Structure formats: structure tokens, C-alpha cells
Amino acid sequence: MSENNNWIPLFPLNTVLFPGGVLPLKVFETRYLDMLRECMRSEQPFGVVLIKSGQEVGKAAEPESVGCLTRITEWDMQDLGVMMLRTEGSQRFRIVQQRVLSDQRLEAQITLIEADQVTRPDDVHLQCASTLKLVIDDIDKKGRTAHGVNFASPFALPPQFGNAGWVANRWCEILPISLKARQKLLELTDGRERLGIVHQYLLQHNII
């Protein structure tokens, strides 16, 4: 782990972002429009954190202690005052210290959490990966049928089916589990452990 002594902007949301995950955003609050413009100008990432208590709008919410840095990959502002973005999660972090600015934005000093190690696939990994590929292919096929050339895959390319952490993260995003459960999975520091929990869920629900 390494520490970042600079203050990074936080975006508290009712969602859990995983490394390698795609997060589309529709932003209209002035404070966050200003934050995003500054991030784009300085090429600085921002942190997405699950709201522990509070709301997405209004007074600053209390965030969970572990979140995920994200970078903006696409953006558009067809309507004045409304920014549409496509962002992608990069690295997990733990909040060391946080502060609330005068406009109720959150900033934090963070400790980065090491990325999941890429390990040799085992039977559990291969089962989860092959089923995930079927799910992603089905989503993409239905999306292209419904939206044609305008379809944007909800998954970042290229896929990494040989990476246990990546496979676990994608399952954590699409399984019908609570936000609290997703947060607990995000906080696990071992990608293979995360995948093992996902595997048990898939077995219990007859998905594999």
C-alpha cells in the first residue's frame, strides 16, 4: 500500500464501484459539475464511495471507509447544466481522513489498496469465468439488437476472464445482492477469496 497525502474529491453514491467496472453518471448538481470539470482539467481521478448514511443530494453524506478511484473515459453535455459521463473504476482505497468543503463536497486523504494478484485459473475460477462469459455475451447481444450501433456495453473492454479478481468483480456488480454485501466484497483484499464467495452463491442459486 502507498499513501496519497493530497486531498482527492469524493463522490458519495448509492452504488458500489469495483476496479475495472463501468459506471455511467448523470450529473446536474453544481458542486459536482465543478468537481468533475476540475478533475478533467487536472487529469485527476475522483473516488466513488458508497453512502453509509445520508443522501446523494443536499448535505454531505457519510461515506463507507473503502471506495474505488475512477477515471472519466467519455463525457457529453448536450443539455446545459447536465453532464453525462462514462467512468471506469481503477484502484481501491481506504479513507484515512476526510473533510467537508463549504459547498458540502467531500474530500479525503487515502491509502491505496493493492490490486488483486493475477493467479493461475483453478476449477472454481474456470466455472465462474465461463458462465460469466455467457452472461456478458447475452447482455451484449440483446443490447445490440435493441439499440444497434448506439449500444454501449456495460463492461469495459477487453474482458479479463483469466483474472480471478476481474471475474469476481464483474459478478459482484451484476448479482442481485444488497449494497452492504457488495461493499463487504469490495473490502476483501484477496480476489480469490472474493471469487470463492461468488462461486458459493452461484452454486446455491443453481446458476452454475
Side-chain angles (χ1 to χ4, degrees):
M1 296 185 184
S2 61
E3 287 196 3
N4 180 352
N5 292 319
N6 296 322
W7 292 89
I8 68 159
L10 297 181
F11 205 154
L13 295 168
N14 288 310
T15 192
V16 178
L17 178 64
F18 287 81
V22 171
L23 177 63
L25 292 171
K26 179 179 181 180
V27 182
F28 52 86
E29 279 196 88
T30 301
R31 57 177 171 168
Y32 291 124
L33 290 173
D34 292 342
M35 180 195 82
L36 293 168
R37 289 191 186 100
E38 176 59 26
C39 287
M40 289 188 285
R41 185 192 67 78
S42 61
E43 297 184 347
Q44 177 189 24
F46 60 94
V48 170
V49 282
L50 175 65
I51 292 174
K52 187 175 183 179
S53 65
Q55 304 294 325
E56 290 186 354
V57 298
K59 188 177 179 180
E62 180 185 356
E64 294 284 354
S65 61
V66 173
C68 186
L69 293 176
T70 187
R71 60 186 181 88
I72 299 168
T73 57
E74 297 177 25
W75 72 276
D76 191 15
M77 188 181 279
Q78 294 183 352
D79 298 321
L80 185 64
V82 180
M83 186 179 289
M84 307 296 293
L85 304 106
R86 181 179 170 94
T87 70
E88 185 175 329
S90 57
Q91 189 167 1
R92 291 172 298 154
F93 64 85
R94 188 178 302 278
I95 294 174
V96 176
Q97 185 178 1
Q98 66 186 51
R99 65 186 180 189
V100 180
L101 304 184
S102 60
D103 61 358
Q104 293 299 299
R105 278 188 295 145
L106 284 172
E107 290 186 339
Q109 290 181 325
I110 63 172
T111 296
L112 298 176
I113 299 174
E114 291 183 1
D116 295 324
Q117 293 185 353
V118 179
T119 56
R120 183 186 299 274
D122 55 18
D123 289 343
V124 167
H125 181 170
L126 292 174
Q127 280 185 303
C128 293
S130 60
T131 306
L132 178 63
K133 184 177 186 306
L134 292 175
V135 172
I136 292 177
D137 288 347
D138 184 61
I139 291 172
D140 286 348
K141 180 180 178 180
K142 289 178 178 176
R144 286 191 296 269
T145 299
H147 303 287
V149 295
N150 294 321
F151 172 69
S153 175
F155 303 99
L157 298 174
Q160 301 176 39
F161 295 112
N163 181 336
W166 187 91
V167 171
N169 290 346
R170 302 296 75 77
W171 274 119
C172 290
E173 293 165 350
I174 62 178
L175 289 176
I177 58 179
S178 69
L179 288 174
K180 288 294 185 183
R182 283 194 175 90
Q183 180 67 26
K184 292 299 183 184
L185 288 164
L186 176 71
E187 294 175 7
L188 291 176
T189 56
D190 186 340
R192 291 174 68 93
E193 181 182 1
R194 196 178 310 118
L195 187 63
I197 293 172
V198 168
H199 183 251
Q200 288 300 314
Y201 181 98
L202 298 176
L203 286 174
Q204 290 169 5
H205 291 79
N206 298 314
I207 298 173
I208 59 174

